[in-house]
Amino acid sequence: MAMSNKASERGIISQRAHFWFQRLHEGDAVAHLVTLIVASTVLVVTGLLVYELWIDSALSRQKFGWKFFFTSTWDPVFESFGAWPFIFGTLVTSALGLLLAVPVGLGAAIFLAEMAPPKVSSALAFVIDLLAAVPSVIYGLLGIFILVPWLRTSAEPFLNTHFGFLPLFQGPAYGVGFLAGGVILAIMILPYIISVSREVLLAVPPEQREAALAVGSTHWEATWEVVLPYARTGIFGSIFLALARALGETMAVTMVIGNTPQVSSSLFAPGYTIAAAIANEFTEATGNVHLAALMELGLVLFVVTFILNGLGRLLILATAQQGTARE
Amino acid sequence: MRELTKKIFCFALALISISCGEQAAKPVLINGAGATFPYPIYSKWFDEYHKLHPEIQINYASVGSGAGIRQMLVSTVDFGASDGPMTDEQLAQANVPILHFPTVLGADVATYNIPGVQQELNFTPEAIAGIFLGKITKWNDPLIARENPGIKLPDAGIVVIHRSDGSGTTYIWTDYLSKISSEWKEKIGKETSVNWPVGLGAKGNEGVSGLIKQTPNSIGYVELVYAIQNHLPYARVRNAAGAFVKADLATISTAAAETATSMPDDFRVSITNPPGQEAYPVASFTWLLIPGKITDAAKREAIKSFLRWMLTEGQKFAEDLAYGKLPPDVVEKEMEAISMIQ
């Protein structure tokens, strides 16, 4: 600092240069530049992705316009394409996946972070991280050979007899369908929710909990009313990470969902997702409009993800403002 | 002194390079891409051919027929391969003429899982079209039962299973359906993936057969190769001459032979539903797509000599890998067509 004091006497420009030199010397400017470049590659890659999808989907965008989002035909022979069944399938399976995985994942994370002995907690956390690294095709195979037969012979008939009055559980039980897709996604995203939520819960300062206990709350009250709200932002983060994974999951879903582009009120019915359609049809698509439509599907998936993530951010902001314990 | 060493060194270097050039011919690297269905036989061929001609190296990427055609059109590969012939529109987009060379034959079979039925079923074209259009919904429908006396077909709903990924297998199946059913031709048509009126989609031959094994009362189509290797039950199909024929390597070669006389000069022909008592009706060629103009002389000669070898010696490898051999008439016609590559 003594140097920069001296520099101020020689005028502003030289002072700035000197200051910059000093920062360079300390490594700040270098670090700033390098991290800026690294950070901007993310933006550049995303930008290029959108640009490519936009350009390559031109034929389809011109031919179908906004109708692409709302029509349900997918006919490569007569070149008539609509994305609605795929959007529907993507949203339904992801929502079902989250619905099943969030309570279980959060419960497991609370147990691991708050109640389990530390040794058990870290051993289990290791196993959970391993689960996250299992390739999706393996989950898909488990889905075909174990989950689908079980759904067809046990779970779906059970749901149909007891809850068959709901349109959700009507129709023939094939095993493959929205339900199978949702369940397989739930299993796949569970490790993300548990792993990240556990880390977040462990990062809550012990003083928070101690303060709650000191004013007479029970162990569970301290967890539920103090620790969880404090960690809320991080937990939402883990859920959105899981959602992103679910929206883009291809292999495991295509193996169990039945690959039929249709909109149905029944979870037993076969469906299709955006990512699965692209993976299935891209290599053999010969028509230019067909290819462009697949590109536009990619663009649609991008838009859907963008909107859902945006909503997620808003949710976090809204709850953070009314929150008590955060920061 | 230093000058002299330099000169000697240069001379030696030149000598080495000349002698090397004389000993080994310039290596020729040829790249191709396309259909996945014939990949096992193609990789066998390219491997065997490389053993015979070590200077020629042919690389093949099995990226799918559609991708193969696209890469041919933008000339990023030296040759392509496809399970369906290129359309006139696609040929018009190409900047050089593209020639089709049939290589081997494949076929689709209808495989099924009906609890209690172990026997081979007989299917008429009307029954197959009806099932895949969703008009025949029960296994004991008279259209199926009539041709299968003595087999107790259940009063159960038919679950149709088709390919979800675009594939040559689907192309052959829908090509056949388009020929036997005018309703299919008008409403659905033929393509590597179509807008299926009924059924569940599964990825790949293994996905279709896996789902059929697990779903009672289901039916689907797979490649003959796949059905043979995995011992799947499959149906006899009534051909155009009225005989129920089981698919095997002989009956699919017969299907090709029956159409050889009416073969167009560019070999872009569908051989589904051919005449002939012994012909299995759901068979097809698979094609290599070769540019009619190849400027690099070494590449041109290598490709031409490979084609000649493939049509003669190479055909011997086909049946071991469960592909149908080309009938002699077609081979002869293709040999003549090789001279069109310039």
Side-chain angles (χ1 to χ4, degrees), chain A residues 46-78:
Chain A
T46 315
L48 280 176
L49 195 76
V50 174
Y51 174 79
E52 275 296 320
L53 288 173
W54 182 258
I55 296 294
D56 288 339
S57 64
L59 263 181
S60 166
R61 279 186 290 110
Q62 282 153 16
K63 188 166 176 189
F64 306 113
W66 288 107
K67 266 195 353 226
F68 188 75
F69 284 86
F70 308 113
T71 48
S72 302
T73 321
W74 188 265
D75 192 332
V77 179
F78 296 99

PDB file of all heavy atoms in Angstrom, chain A residues 46-78:
ATOM      1  N   THR A  46     -23.317 -22.166 -24.704  1.00  0.00           N
ATOM      2  CA  THR A  46     -24.780 -22.118 -24.695  1.00  0.00           C
ATOM      3  C   THR A  46     -25.293 -21.332 -25.895  1.00  0.00           C
ATOM      4  O   THR A  46     -26.229 -21.758 -26.577  1.00  0.00           O
ATOM      5  CB  THR A  46     -25.293 -21.465 -23.401  1.00  0.00           C
ATOM      6  OG1 THR A  46     -24.569 -22.013 -22.312  1.00  0.00           O
ATOM      7  CG2 THR A  46     -26.771 -21.712 -23.200  1.00  0.00           C
ATOM      8  N   GLY A  47     -24.645 -20.189 -26.156  1.00  0.00           N
ATOM      9  CA  GLY A  47     -25.061 -19.350 -27.275  1.00  0.00           C
ATOM     10  C   GLY A  47     -24.941 -20.089 -28.600  1.00  0.00           C
ATOM     11  O   GLY A  47     -25.867 -20.083 -29.408  1.00  0.00           O
ATOM     12  N   LEU A  48     -23.812 -20.759 -28.798  1.00  0.00           N
ATOM     13  CA  LEU A  48     -23.610 -21.501 -30.043  1.00  0.00           C
ATOM     14  C   LEU A  48     -24.638 -22.611 -30.198  1.00  0.00           C
ATOM     15  O   LEU A  48     -25.156 -22.852 -31.302  1.00  0.00           O
ATOM     16  CB  LEU A  48     -22.210 -22.120 -30.063  1.00  0.00           C
ATOM     17  CG  LEU A  48     -21.067 -21.183 -30.449  1.00  0.00           C
ATOM     18  CD1 LEU A  48     -19.735 -21.888 -30.329  1.00  0.00           C
ATOM     19  CD2 LEU A  48     -21.264 -20.683 -31.877  1.00  0.00           C
ATOM     20  N   LEU A  49     -24.944 -23.254 -29.082  1.00  0.00           N
ATOM     21  CA  LEU A  49     -25.923 -24.339 -29.090  1.00  0.00           C
ATOM     22  C   LEU A  49     -27.270 -23.836 -29.587  1.00  0.00           C
ATOM     23  O   LEU A  49     -27.873 -24.401 -30.503  1.00  0.00           O
ATOM     24  CB  LEU A  49     -26.055 -24.880 -27.665  1.00  0.00           C
ATOM     25  CG  LEU A  49     -26.732 -26.223 -27.481  1.00  0.00           C
ATOM     26  CD1 LEU A  49     -25.781 -27.321 -27.901  1.00  0.00           C
ATOM     27  CD2 LEU A  49     -27.140 -26.421 -26.032  1.00  0.00           C
ATOM     28  N   VAL A  50     -27.718 -22.753 -28.985  1.00  0.00           N
ATOM     29  CA  VAL A  50     -29.018 -22.185 -29.373  1.00  0.00           C
ATOM     30  C   VAL A  50     -28.966 -21.744 -30.832  1.00  0.00           C
ATOM     31  O   VAL A  50     -29.881 -22.010 -31.609  1.00  0.00           O
ATOM     32  CB  VAL A  50     -29.391 -21.007 -28.464  1.00  0.00           C
ATOM     33  CG1 VAL A  50     -30.661 -20.336 -28.962  1.00  0.00           C
ATOM     34  CG2 VAL A  50     -29.573 -21.488 -27.044  1.00  0.00           C
ATOM     35  N   TYR A  51     -27.862 -21.093 -31.213  1.00  0.00           N
ATOM     36  CA  TYR A  51     -27.711 -20.609 -32.593  1.00  0.00           C
ATOM     37  C   TYR A  51     -27.828 -21.769 -33.580  1.00  0.00           C
ATOM     38  O   TYR A  51     -28.594 -21.713 -34.546  1.00  0.00           O
ATOM     39  CB  TYR A  51     -26.353 -19.915 -32.721  1.00  0.00           C
ATOM     40  CG  TYR A  51     -26.005 -19.506 -34.131  1.00  0.00           C
ATOM     41  CD1 TYR A  51     -26.555 -18.361 -34.699  1.00  0.00           C
ATOM     42  CD2 TYR A  51     -25.120 -20.265 -34.888  1.00  0.00           C
ATOM     43  CE1 TYR A  51     -26.250 -17.992 -35.992  1.00  0.00           C
ATOM     44  CE2 TYR A  51     -24.800 -19.905 -36.187  1.00  0.00           C
ATOM     45  CZ  TYR A  51     -25.368 -18.768 -36.739  1.00  0.00           C
ATOM     46  OH  TYR A  51     -25.069 -18.414 -38.016  1.00  0.00           O
ATOM     47  N   GLU A  52     -27.078 -22.852 -33.333  1.00  0.00           N
ATOM     48  CA  GLU A  52     -27.103 -24.008 -34.231  1.00  0.00           C
ATOM     49  C   GLU A  52     -28.507 -24.606 -34.324  1.00  0.00           C
ATOM     50  O   GLU A  52     -28.982 -24.916 -35.414  1.00  0.00           O
ATOM     51  CB  GLU A  52     -26.125 -25.080 -33.729  1.00  0.00           C
ATOM     52  CG  GLU A  52     -24.694 -24.880 -34.196  1.00  0.00           C
ATOM     53  CD  GLU A  52     -24.568 -25.006 -35.704  1.00  0.00           C
ATOM     54  OE1 GLU A  52     -25.223 -25.882 -36.283  1.00  0.00           O
ATOM     55  OE2 GLU A  52     -23.822 -24.216 -36.307  1.00  0.00           O
ATOM     56  N   LEU A  53     -29.146 -24.788 -33.157  1.00  0.00           N
ATOM     57  CA  LEU A  53     -30.485 -25.374 -33.148  1.00  0.00           C
ATOM     58  C   LEU A  53     -31.446 -24.479 -33.931  1.00  0.00           C
ATOM     59  O   LEU A  53     -32.288 -24.954 -34.686  1.00  0.00           O
ATOM     60  CB  LEU A  53     -30.983 -25.555 -31.716  1.00  0.00           C
ATOM     61  CG  LEU A  53     -30.317 -26.669 -30.913  1.00  0.00           C
ATOM     62  CD1 LEU A  53     -30.784 -26.640 -29.468  1.00  0.00           C
ATOM     63  CD2 LEU A  53     -30.611 -28.025 -31.518  1.00  0.00           C
ATOM     64  N   TRP A  54     -31.290 -23.171 -33.745  1.00  0.00           N
ATOM     65  CA  TRP A  54     -32.166 -22.205 -34.415  1.00  0.00           C
ATOM     66  C   TRP A  54     -31.996 -22.282 -35.925  1.00  0.00           C
ATOM     67  O   TRP A  54     -32.950 -22.371 -36.678  1.00  0.00           O
ATOM     68  CB  TRP A  54     -31.845 -20.807 -33.893  1.00  0.00           C
ATOM     69  CG  TRP A  54     -32.722 -19.727 -34.466  1.00  0.00           C
ATOM     70  CD1 TRP A  54     -32.402 -18.844 -35.445  1.00  0.00           C
ATOM     71  CD2 TRP A  54     -34.067 -19.434 -34.080  1.00  0.00           C
ATOM     72  NE1 TRP A  54     -33.456 -18.021 -35.705  1.00  0.00           N
ATOM     73  CE2 TRP A  54     -34.501 -18.352 -34.879  1.00  0.00           C
ATOM     74  CE3 TRP A  54     -34.948 -19.981 -33.148  1.00  0.00           C
ATOM     75  CZ2 TRP A  54     -35.774 -17.812 -34.773  1.00  0.00           C
ATOM     76  CZ3 TRP A  54     -36.214 -19.431 -33.040  1.00  0.00           C
ATOM     77  CH2 TRP A  54     -36.617 -18.362 -33.851  1.00  0.00           C
ATOM     78  N   ILE A  55     -30.730 -22.285 -36.382  1.00  0.00           N
ATOM     79  CA  ILE A  55     -30.449 -22.314 -37.819  1.00  0.00           C
ATOM     80  C   ILE A  55     -30.928 -23.628 -38.433  1.00  0.00           C
ATOM     81  O   ILE A  55     -31.624 -23.666 -39.444  1.00  0.00           O
ATOM     82  CB  ILE A  55     -28.924 -22.162 -38.071  1.00  0.00           C
ATOM     83  CG1 ILE A  55     -28.440 -20.793 -37.599  1.00  0.00           C
ATOM     84  CG2 ILE A  55     -28.587 -22.379 -39.546  1.00  0.00           C
ATOM     85  CD1 ILE A  55     -28.994 -19.642 -38.365  1.00  0.00           C
ATOM     86  N   ASP A  56     -30.563 -24.752 -37.770  1.00  0.00           N
ATOM     87  CA  ASP A  56     -30.873 -26.057 -38.361  1.00  0.00           C
ATOM     88  C   ASP A  56     -32.353 -26.415 -38.305  1.00  0.00           C
ATOM     89  O   ASP A  56     -32.793 -27.326 -38.994  1.00  0.00           O
ATOM     90  CB  ASP A  56     -30.054 -27.160 -37.663  1.00  0.00           C
ATOM     91  CG  ASP A  56     -28.584 -27.074 -38.042  1.00  0.00           C
ATOM     92  OD1 ASP A  56     -28.306 -26.469 -39.094  1.00  0.00           O
ATOM     93  OD2 ASP A  56     -27.724 -27.586 -37.306  1.00  0.00           O
ATOM     94  N   SER A  57     -33.101 -25.725 -37.459  1.00  0.00           N
ATOM     95  CA  SER A  57     -34.528 -26.040 -37.390  1.00  0.00           C
ATOM     96  C   SER A  57     -35.357 -25.118 -38.282  1.00  0.00           C
ATOM     97  O   SER A  57     -36.582 -25.146 -38.239  1.00  0.00           O
ATOM     98  CB  SER A  57     -35.014 -25.951 -35.940  1.00  0.00           C
ATOM     99  OG  SER A  57     -34.889 -24.631 -35.476  1.00  0.00           O
ATOM    100  N   ALA A  58     -34.680 -24.317 -39.113  1.00  0.00           N
ATOM    101  CA  ALA A  58     -35.379 -23.293 -39.899  1.00  0.00           C
ATOM    102  C   ALA A  58     -36.543 -23.867 -40.719  1.00  0.00           C
ATOM    103  O   ALA A  58     -37.652 -23.341 -40.683  1.00  0.00           O
ATOM    104  CB  ALA A  58     -34.389 -22.583 -40.819  1.00  0.00           C
ATOM    105  N   LEU A  59     -36.271 -24.981 -41.428  1.00  0.00           N
ATOM    106  CA  LEU A  59     -37.310 -25.572 -42.290  1.00  0.00           C
ATOM    107  C   LEU A  59     -38.575 -25.883 -41.505  1.00  0.00           C
ATOM    108  O   LEU A  59     -39.682 -25.584 -41.940  1.00  0.00           O
ATOM    109  CB  LEU A  59     -36.785 -26.882 -42.866  1.00  0.00           C
ATOM    110  CG  LEU A  59     -36.182 -26.862 -44.254  1.00  0.00           C
ATOM    111  CD1 LEU A  59     -35.746 -28.267 -44.640  1.00  0.00           C
ATOM    112  CD2 LEU A  59     -37.203 -26.338 -45.247  1.00  0.00           C
ATOM    113  N   SER A  60     -38.377 -26.498 -40.343  1.00  0.00           N
ATOM    114  CA  SER A  60     -39.508 -26.904 -39.528  1.00  0.00           C
ATOM    115  C   SER A  60     -40.222 -25.684 -38.937  1.00  0.00           C
ATOM    116  O   SER A  60     -41.452 -25.628 -38.904  1.00  0.00           O
ATOM    117  CB  SER A  60     -39.002 -27.829 -38.417  1.00  0.00           C
ATOM    118  OG  SER A  60     -39.964 -27.992 -37.433  1.00  0.00           O
ATOM    119  N   ARG A  61     -39.438 -24.686 -38.498  1.00  0.00           N
ATOM    120  CA  ARG A  61     -40.052 -23.487 -37.903  1.00  0.00           C
ATOM    121  C   ARG A  61     -40.905 -22.762 -38.930  1.00  0.00           C
ATOM    122  O   ARG A  61     -42.021 -22.321 -38.643  1.00  0.00           O
ATOM    123  CB  ARG A  61     -38.976 -22.545 -37.357  1.00  0.00           C
ATOM    124  CG  ARG A  61     -38.463 -22.963 -35.988  1.00  0.00           C
ATOM    125  CD  ARG A  61     -37.514 -21.941 -35.408  1.00  0.00           C
ATOM    126  NE  ARG A  61     -36.249 -21.887 -36.121  1.00  0.00           N
ATOM    127  CZ  ARG A  61     -35.855 -20.892 -36.887  1.00  0.00           C
ATOM    128  NH1 ARG A  61     -36.622 -19.836 -37.044  1.00  0.00           N
ATOM    129  NH2 ARG A  61     -34.697 -20.943 -37.501  1.00  0.00           N
ATOM    130  N   GLN A  62     -40.384 -22.679 -40.191  1.00  0.00           N
ATOM    131  CA  GLN A  62     -41.161 -21.990 -41.225  1.00  0.00           C
ATOM    132  C   GLN A  62     -42.416 -22.757 -41.586  1.00  0.00           C
ATOM    133  O   GLN A  62     -43.473 -22.176 -41.793  1.00  0.00           O
ATOM    134  CB  GLN A  62     -40.297 -21.799 -42.477  1.00  0.00           C
ATOM    135  CG  GLN A  62     -39.311 -20.659 -42.345  1.00  0.00           C
ATOM    136  CD  GLN A  62     -38.085 -20.853 -43.202  1.00  0.00           C
ATOM    137  OE1 GLN A  62     -38.079 -21.680 -44.107  1.00  0.00           O
ATOM    138  NE2 GLN A  62     -37.035 -20.093 -42.920  1.00  0.00           N
ATOM    139  N   LYS A  63     -42.292 -24.094 -41.627  1.00  0.00           N
ATOM    140  CA  LYS A  63     -43.412 -24.887 -42.088  1.00  0.00           C
ATOM    141  C   LYS A  63     -44.535 -24.971 -41.047  1.00  0.00           C
ATOM    142  O   LYS A  63     -45.708 -24.907 -41.389  1.00  0.00           O
ATOM    143  CB  LYS A  63     -42.935 -26.285 -42.469  1.00  0.00           C
ATOM    144  CG  LYS A  63     -44.012 -27.113 -43.136  1.00  0.00           C
ATOM    145  CD  LYS A  63     -43.460 -28.358 -43.805  1.00  0.00           C
ATOM    146  CE  LYS A  63     -44.619 -29.180 -44.349  1.00  0.00           C
ATOM    147  NZ  LYS A  63     -44.234 -30.479 -44.833  1.00  0.00           N
ATOM    148  N   PHE A  64     -44.166 -25.117 -39.778  1.00  0.00           N
ATOM    149  CA  PHE A  64     -45.195 -25.376 -38.764  1.00  0.00           C
ATOM    150  C   PHE A  64     -45.479 -24.182 -37.853  1.00  0.00           C
ATOM    151  O   PHE A  64     -46.535 -24.112 -37.245  1.00  0.00           O
ATOM    152  CB  PHE A  64     -44.814 -26.585 -37.912  1.00  0.00           C
ATOM    153  CG  PHE A  64     -44.510 -27.806 -38.724  1.00  0.00           C
ATOM    154  CD1 PHE A  64     -43.232 -28.323 -38.771  1.00  0.00           C
ATOM    155  CD2 PHE A  64     -45.507 -28.407 -39.467  1.00  0.00           C
ATOM    156  CE1 PHE A  64     -42.943 -29.443 -39.542  1.00  0.00           C
ATOM    157  CE2 PHE A  64     -45.239 -29.529 -40.235  1.00  0.00           C
ATOM    158  CZ  PHE A  64     -43.953 -30.045 -40.270  1.00  0.00           C
ATOM    159  N   GLY A  65     -44.512 -23.267 -37.742  1.00  0.00           N
ATOM    160  CA  GLY A  65     -44.720 -22.101 -36.887  1.00  0.00           C
ATOM    161  C   GLY A  65     -45.014 -22.488 -35.449  1.00  0.00           C
ATOM    162  O   GLY A  65     -44.480 -23.467 -34.933  1.00  0.00           O
ATOM    163  N   TRP A  66     -45.912 -21.721 -34.812  1.00  0.00           N
ATOM    164  CA  TRP A  66     -46.253 -21.981 -33.402  1.00  0.00           C
ATOM    165  C   TRP A  66     -47.037 -23.268 -33.238  1.00  0.00           C
ATOM    166  O   TRP A  66     -47.112 -23.832 -32.149  1.00  0.00           O
ATOM    167  CB  TRP A  66     -47.040 -20.814 -32.811  1.00  0.00           C
ATOM    168  CG  TRP A  66     -46.180 -19.616 -32.604  1.00  0.00           C
ATOM    169  CD1 TRP A  66     -46.191 -18.473 -33.341  1.00  0.00           C
ATOM    170  CD2 TRP A  66     -45.162 -19.439 -31.607  1.00  0.00           C
ATOM    171  NE1 TRP A  66     -45.239 -17.606 -32.873  1.00  0.00           N
ATOM    172  CE2 TRP A  66     -44.601 -18.169 -31.808  1.00  0.00           C
ATOM    173  CE3 TRP A  66     -44.666 -20.240 -30.571  1.00  0.00           C
ATOM    174  CZ2 TRP A  66     -43.572 -17.669 -31.015  1.00  0.00           C
ATOM    175  CZ3 TRP A  66     -43.637 -19.747 -29.784  1.00  0.00           C
ATOM    176  CH2 TRP A  66     -43.098 -18.480 -30.000  1.00  0.00           C
ATOM    177  N   LYS A  67     -47.661 -23.708 -34.369  1.00  0.00           N
ATOM    178  CA  LYS A  67     -48.449 -24.942 -34.310  1.00  0.00           C
ATOM    179  C   LYS A  67     -47.604 -26.123 -33.829  1.00  0.00           C
ATOM    180  O   LYS A  67     -48.122 -27.078 -33.267  1.00  0.00           O
ATOM    181  CB  LYS A  67     -48.999 -25.268 -35.705  1.00  0.00           C
ATOM    182  CG  LYS A  67     -50.382 -24.736 -35.956  1.00  0.00           C
ATOM    183  CD  LYS A  67     -51.041 -25.372 -37.189  1.00  0.00           C
ATOM    184  CE  LYS A  67     -50.187 -26.262 -38.027  1.00  0.00           C
ATOM    185  NZ  LYS A  67     -50.289 -26.024 -39.464  1.00  0.00           N
ATOM    186  N   PHE A  68     -46.307 -26.034 -34.063  1.00  0.00           N
ATOM    187  CA  PHE A  68     -45.403 -27.121 -33.687  1.00  0.00           C
ATOM    188  C   PHE A  68     -45.575 -27.506 -32.219  1.00  0.00           C
ATOM    189  O   PHE A  68     -45.496 -28.662 -31.850  1.00  0.00           O
ATOM    190  CB  PHE A  68     -43.962 -26.685 -33.962  1.00  0.00           C
ATOM    191  CG  PHE A  68     -42.944 -27.780 -33.795  1.00  0.00           C
ATOM    192  CD1 PHE A  68     -42.818 -28.773 -34.759  1.00  0.00           C
ATOM    193  CD2 PHE A  68     -42.112 -27.820 -32.690  1.00  0.00           C
ATOM    194  CE1 PHE A  68     -41.882 -29.783 -34.606  1.00  0.00           C
ATOM    195  CE2 PHE A  68     -41.173 -28.833 -32.538  1.00  0.00           C
ATOM    196  CZ  PHE A  68     -41.062 -29.813 -33.498  1.00  0.00           C
ATOM    197  N   PHE A  69     -45.841 -26.500 -31.378  1.00  0.00           N
ATOM    198  CA  PHE A  69     -45.949 -26.755 -29.944  1.00  0.00           C
ATOM    199  C   PHE A  69     -47.249 -27.471 -29.575  1.00  0.00           C
ATOM    200  O   PHE A  69     -47.326 -28.110 -28.552  1.00  0.00           O
ATOM    201  CB  PHE A  69     -45.893 -25.435 -29.158  1.00  0.00           C
ATOM    202  CG  PHE A  69     -44.512 -24.874 -29.078  1.00  0.00           C
ATOM    203  CD1 PHE A  69     -44.025 -24.079 -30.094  1.00  0.00           C
ATOM    204  CD2 PHE A  69     -43.695 -25.140 -27.990  1.00  0.00           C
ATOM    205  CE1 PHE A  69     -42.753 -23.556 -30.022  1.00  0.00           C
ATOM    206  CE2 PHE A  69     -42.426 -24.632 -27.917  1.00  0.00           C
ATOM    207  CZ  PHE A  69     -41.945 -23.826 -28.940  1.00  0.00           C
ATOM    208  N   PHE A  70     -48.289 -27.290 -30.390  1.00  0.00           N
ATOM    209  CA  PHE A  70     -49.610 -27.705 -29.928  1.00  0.00           C
ATOM    210  C   PHE A  70     -50.221 -28.863 -30.702  1.00  0.00           C
ATOM    211  O   PHE A  70     -51.246 -29.382 -30.309  1.00  0.00           O
ATOM    212  CB  PHE A  70     -50.582 -26.510 -29.988  1.00  0.00           C
ATOM    213  CG  PHE A  70     -50.025 -25.300 -29.290  1.00  0.00           C
ATOM    214  CD1 PHE A  70     -49.679 -24.167 -29.997  1.00  0.00           C
ATOM    215  CD2 PHE A  70     -49.835 -25.331 -27.920  1.00  0.00           C
ATOM    216  CE1 PHE A  70     -49.144 -23.069 -29.349  1.00  0.00           C
ATOM    217  CE2 PHE A  70     -49.294 -24.233 -27.258  1.00  0.00           C
ATOM    218  CZ  PHE A  70     -48.952 -23.099 -27.971  1.00  0.00           C
ATOM    219  N   THR A  71     -49.603 -29.279 -31.818  1.00  0.00           N
ATOM    220  CA  THR A  71     -50.189 -30.391 -32.560  1.00  0.00           C
ATOM    221  C   THR A  71     -49.550 -31.706 -32.132  1.00  0.00           C
ATOM    222  O   THR A  71     -48.432 -31.724 -31.606  1.00  0.00           O
ATOM    223  CB  THR A  71     -50.022 -30.211 -34.074  1.00  0.00           C
ATOM    224  OG1 THR A  71     -48.668 -29.863 -34.335  1.00  0.00           O
ATOM    225  CG2 THR A  71     -50.935 -29.143 -34.596  1.00  0.00           C
ATOM    226  N   SER A  72     -50.285 -32.794 -32.364  1.00  0.00           N
ATOM    227  CA  SER A  72     -49.886 -34.083 -31.795  1.00  0.00           C
ATOM    228  C   SER A  72     -49.472 -35.120 -32.830  1.00  0.00           C
ATOM    229  O   SER A  72     -49.194 -36.251 -32.475  1.00  0.00           O
ATOM    230  CB  SER A  72     -51.030 -34.661 -30.963  1.00  0.00           C
ATOM    231  OG  SER A  72     -51.360 -33.750 -29.948  1.00  0.00           O
ATOM    232  N   THR A  73     -49.448 -34.773 -34.107  1.00  0.00           N
ATOM    233  CA  THR A  73     -49.059 -35.765 -35.114  1.00  0.00           C
ATOM    234  C   THR A  73     -47.547 -35.772 -35.253  1.00  0.00           C
ATOM    235  O   THR A  73     -46.921 -34.711 -35.235  1.00  0.00           O
ATOM    236  CB  THR A  73     -49.653 -35.402 -36.482  1.00  0.00           C
ATOM    237  OG1 THR A  73     -50.955 -34.905 -36.271  1.00  0.00           O
ATOM    238  CG2 THR A  73     -49.683 -36.592 -37.407  1.00  0.00           C
ATOM    239  N   TRP A  74     -46.979 -36.963 -35.407  1.00  0.00           N
ATOM    240  CA  TRP A  74     -45.549 -37.055 -35.697  1.00  0.00           C
ATOM    241  C   TRP A  74     -45.414 -38.061 -36.816  1.00  0.00           C
ATOM    242  O   TRP A  74     -45.403 -39.265 -36.594  1.00  0.00           O
ATOM    243  CB  TRP A  74     -44.778 -37.475 -34.440  1.00  0.00           C
ATOM    244  CG  TRP A  74     -43.302 -37.409 -34.636  1.00  0.00           C
ATOM    245  CD1 TRP A  74     -42.465 -38.432 -34.995  1.00  0.00           C
ATOM    246  CD2 TRP A  74     -42.473 -36.250 -34.491  1.00  0.00           C
ATOM    247  NE1 TRP A  74     -41.173 -37.973 -35.087  1.00  0.00           N
ATOM    248  CE2 TRP A  74     -41.143 -36.653 -34.788  1.00  0.00           C
ATOM    249  CE3 TRP A  74     -42.712 -34.915 -34.160  1.00  0.00           C
ATOM    250  CZ2 TRP A  74     -40.074 -35.766 -34.744  1.00  0.00           C
ATOM    251  CZ3 TRP A  74     -41.647 -34.033 -34.120  1.00  0.00           C
ATOM    252  CH2 TRP A  74     -40.345 -34.467 -34.410  1.00  0.00           C
ATOM    253  N   ASP A  75     -45.397 -37.579 -38.053  1.00  0.00           N
ATOM    254  CA  ASP A  75     -45.460 -38.463 -39.192  1.00  0.00           C
ATOM    255  C   ASP A  75     -44.331 -38.183 -40.175  1.00  0.00           C
ATOM    256  O   ASP A  75     -44.414 -37.280 -41.003  1.00  0.00           O
ATOM    257  CB  ASP A  75     -46.820 -38.280 -39.886  1.00  0.00           C
ATOM    258  CG  ASP A  75     -47.085 -39.371 -40.897  1.00  0.00           C
ATOM    259  OD1 ASP A  75     -46.103 -39.917 -41.440  1.00  0.00           O
ATOM    260  OD2 ASP A  75     -48.257 -39.674 -41.144  1.00  0.00           O
ATOM    261  N   PRO A  76     -43.235 -38.968 -40.093  1.00  0.00           N
ATOM    262  CA  PRO A  76     -42.086 -38.723 -40.974  1.00  0.00           C
ATOM    263  C   PRO A  76     -42.411 -38.960 -42.444  1.00  0.00           C
ATOM    264  O   PRO A  76     -41.755 -38.390 -43.311  1.00  0.00           O
ATOM    265  CB  PRO A  76     -41.048 -39.737 -40.500  1.00  0.00           C
ATOM    266  CG  PRO A  76     -41.484 -40.155 -39.144  1.00  0.00           C
ATOM    267  CD  PRO A  76     -42.979 -40.049 -39.145  1.00  0.00           C
ATOM    268  N   VAL A  77     -43.395 -39.816 -42.749  1.00  0.00           N
ATOM    269  CA  VAL A  77     -43.687 -40.119 -44.149  1.00  0.00           C
ATOM    270  C   VAL A  77     -44.354 -38.918 -44.819  1.00  0.00           C
ATOM    271  O   VAL A  77     -43.947 -38.486 -45.896  1.00  0.00           O
ATOM    272  CB  VAL A  77     -44.586 -41.361 -44.271  1.00  0.00           C
ATOM    273  CG1 VAL A  77     -44.904 -41.643 -45.724  1.00  0.00           C
ATOM    274  CG2 VAL A  77     -43.909 -42.569 -43.635  1.00  0.00           C
ATOM    275  N   PHE A  78     -45.379 -38.361 -44.145  1.00  0.00           N
ATOM    276  CA  PHE A  78     -46.094 -37.231 -44.737  1.00  0.00           C
ATOM    277  C   PHE A  78     -45.564 -35.890 -44.225  1.00  0.00           C
ATOM    278  O   PHE A  78     -46.159 -34.846 -44.456  1.00  0.00           O
ATOM    279  CB  PHE A  78     -47.594 -37.377 -44.478  1.00  0.00           C
ATOM    280  CG  PHE A  78     -48.171 -38.597 -45.145  1.00  0.00           C
ATOM    281  CD1 PHE A  78     -48.389 -39.762 -44.439  1.00  0.00           C
ATOM    282  CD2 PHE A  78     -48.454 -38.586 -46.508  1.00  0.00           C
ATOM    283  CE1 PHE A  78     -48.889 -40.903 -45.068  1.00  0.00           C
ATOM    284  CE2 PHE A  78     -48.960 -39.718 -47.131  1.00  0.00           C
ATOM    285  CZ  PHE A  78     -49.175 -40.869 -46.413  1.00  0.00           C
TER     286      PHE A  78
END
